[in-house]
Amino acid sequence: MDKIILHVDMDAFFASVEQKDNPKLKGKPVIVGGVSERGVVSTCSYEARKYGVKSAMPIFMAQKLCPQGIYLRGRYWRYKEVSAQIFNIFREVTPLVEPLSIDEAYLDITNSKFKDYKEAAIYIKRRVYKEVGLTLSIGISYNKFLAKLASDWNKPNGIMIITEDMIPEILKPLPISKIYGLGQKSVRRLNNMGLFKIEDLYIHPKEFFVEYFGKYGIDIYNRIRGIDDRVVTPNRDRKSYGKETTLKFDTDDKDELSNYLKSFSTQISSYLEEKNIFIKTITVKYKTSSFINHTRSKTLTHYINKAEDIYNIAIEIIEEEVFSEPIRLIGLTVSSIKEEKVEQLTLF
Ligand code: TTP
Ligand code: MG
């Protein structure tokens, strides 16, 4: 393999942290999420998954499937702390660590001290288990797409290697939902066209993908053939992106403030589009003439990155505000960032 990319992903992360911190929970169905009837499951231990409980399922439904489960509220500060420990270990293996989420990263180990990739994977697993007390799964391949696919193969506590000679056979029978970057909506729509397995997509030319997914269509076309040129970029883990301005004159005119929000939405959107990232939280910030800061956020259930969509939410937020005094600063920030979700099939 020219390049050696690892995708590392902790097993049942939040639930495993809870089991580690409280050994009485070991071996039990642990469900982490909002504890109210209206909450959803963040994640659950593999013991709970046997009952059909999964991430994003409403808690009341999980309770029906697994009444004997132990339901816990998340302790996010603790998960962040453990995440930092794990990432420190990854960064000792290679400086080329690209975080994807709190418990997941790509590691490029091509030029690391490890000549044998399997040895590197075993080393990481041993250290994480010894120092942090948790298990993880590792996918090894020659590009990001295949490494990520591989880490999911033998979960939990697995190692899977995908080499060039396994392509395309290993990809053919997989459901199209396994294609990184394809959103749920796109999967459903392709399913409605009778396309279910990666193999089913091979009959379509490049143009088909471009027509349906715009410029990301080429990436999808390549990915299903095992081609992915994205490099592992150790980013600074940017969590939000925003613009703000102090007004020349204080104002409580919402039309004037909306004009600023429009301009911010356009600037933010072009940044997001360029980086191919999507967001689902929109925050409007303002400071009143007596220097009191206010922030108001909305989190959507889906990801967006178009200027118009961001602007519409920002407007909703500002419309709901009642100003007690004029405003001297206005700002717009987006967060809950996700990379590359193809959610739009342009023809529909
Ligand atoms: P994942 O890696 O997707 O899930 P996981 O680590 O719990 O389980 P797996 O063994 O399948 O990797 O997500 C990491 C953490 O992110 C997860 O522990 C909880 C959180 N999370 C949510 O809060 N909501 C969600 O819908 C998902 C998928 C994850
Ligand atoms: Mg995980």
Side-chain angles (χ1 to χ4, degrees):
M1 296 199 280
D2 280 350
K3 258 200 224 168
I4 303 165
I5 311 291
L6 266 45
H7 178 262
V8 294
D9 185 350
M10 302 302 295
D11 299 322
F13 186 50
F14 294 180
S16 308
V17 172
E18 295 302 337
Q19 288 177 321
K20 182 182 87 76
D21 287 354
N22 179 359
K24 281 189 199 136
L25 301 176
K26 288 222 166 94
K28 303 224 168 98
V30 171
I31 295 105
V32 179
V35 279
S36 79
E37 287 272 301
R38 289 155 48 84
V40 293
V41 174
S42 291
T43 193
C44 59
S45 65
Y46 279 78
E47 292 84 0
R49 294 182 197 199
K50 284 189 207 134
Y51 297 89
V53 180
K54 326 183 220 204
S55 292
M57 174 182 274
I59 293 283
F60 76 88
M61 205 183 274
Q63 277 165 337
K64 265 187 208 148
L65 292 169
C66 185
Q68 70 276 49
I70 298 156
Y71 291 81
L72 304 171
R73 209 187 289 271
R75 294 181 301 143
Y76 299 93
W77 60 269
R78 178 67 183 134
Y79 310 142
K80 279 190 192 147
E81 207 171 75
V82 176
S83 173
Q85 280 180 293
I86 297 158
F87 274 86
N88 282 340
I89 297 176
F90 299 160
R91 290 195 180 97
E92 278 180 38
V93 173
T94 170
L96 297 177
V97 174
E98 179 179 333
L100 275 179
S101 75
I102 190 165
D103 83 324
E104 220 186 316
Y106 289 116
L107 276 61
D108 184 334
I109 61 158
T110 316
N111 297 314
S112 73
K113 62 179 177 185
F114 292 99
K115 287 295 154 255
D116 177 358
Y117 42 76
K118 207 161 172 193
E119 192 188 303
I122 292 169
Y123 172 84
I124 293 170
K125 276 164 146 302
R126 281 217 185 107
R127 276 201 61 186
V128 171
Y129 192 73
K130 209 167 129 211
E131 291 167 37
V132 191
L134 296 175
T135 64
L136 71 162
S137 296
I138 302 185
I140 306 169
S141 197
Y142 53 93
N143 66 39
K144 283 182 167 183
F145 169 58
L146 296 173
K148 183 154 166 79
L149 196 66
S151 74
D152 222 21
W153 216 276
N154 295 319
K155 253 188 175 295
N157 203 5
I159 293 183
M160 167 74 179
I161 304 160
I162 298 181
T163 49
E164 277 107 335
D165 55 322
M166 295 159 89
I167 304 298
E169 289 315 310
I170 197 169
L171 299 176
K172 284 182 175 175
L174 300 179
I176 57 173
S177 56
K178 290 276 184 188
I179 306 169
Y180 183 66
L182 215 58
Q184 272 178 9
K185 261 195 223 159
S186 306
V187 168
R188 264 202 305 275
R189 284 162 172 173
L190 290 171
N191 285 165
N192 289 339
M193 296 166 75
L195 303 166
F196 295 94
K197 292 190 278 181
I198 289 187
E199 188 175 17
D200 301 336
L201 296 176
Y202 287 157
I203 55 164
H204 290 291
K206 254 187 198 144
E207 292 71 27
F208 169 88
F209 295 91
V210 175
E211 202 171 311
Y212 282 88
F213 304 112
K215 59 179 171 168
Y216 307 121
I218 304 280
D219 294 342
I220 304 290
Y221 176 88
N222 284 330
R223 260 173 226 178
I224 59 178
R225 289 168 172 76
I227 303 164
D228 179 7
D229 297 329
R230 289 173 302 155
V231 288
V232 173
T233 30
N235 55 20
R236 274 150 294 157
D237 204 9
R238 176 157 226 164
K239 296 218 167 59
S240 67
Y241 184 71
K243 294 270 165 207
E244 64 176 48
T245 195
T246 300
L247 309 171
K248 273 206 181 101
F249 305 101
D250 294 4
T251 180
D252 57 6
D253 179 356
K254 287 192 176 173
D255 287 339
E256 192 184 331
L257 295 171
S258 300
N259 282 335
Y260 283 104
L261 293 175
K262 188 161 217 161
S263 149
F264 296 155
S265 303
T266 308
Q267 293 172 59
I268 291 170
S269 169
S270 61
Y271 172 84
L272 298 178
E273 287 186 341
E274 187 198 312
K275 299 269 178 212
N276 198 11
I277 49 187
F278 290 71
I279 57 98
K280 63 175 181 177
T281 300
I282 292 98
T283 304
V284 172
K285 164 184 169 186
Y286 61 89
K287 197 185 278 183
T288 63
S289 45
S290 56
F291 288 85
I292 298 168
N293 279 316
H294 297 257
T295 55
R296 299 281 180 265
S297 295
K298 283 202 180 194
T299 297
L300 307 171
T301 51
H302 58 286
Y303 287 91
I304 58 172
N305 78 350
K306 295 265 171 289
E308 195 189 337
D309 296 335
I310 297 170
Y311 175 67
N312 286 338
I313 306 297
I315 287 300
E316 267 179 38
I317 296 175
I318 207 81
E319 291 294 347
E320 286 166 13
E321 285 305 294
V322 180
F323 299 135
S324 52
E325 55 179 347
I327 306 306
R328 71 184 314 272
L329 173 147
I330 178 95
L332 180 63
T333 302
V334 297
S335 54
S336 309
I337 286 173
K338 188 164 194 122
E339 261 187 280
E340 305 189 274
K341 268 270 162 213
V342 178
E343 272 302 5
Q344 236 164 353
L345 285 178
T346 45
L347 269 196
F348 289 93

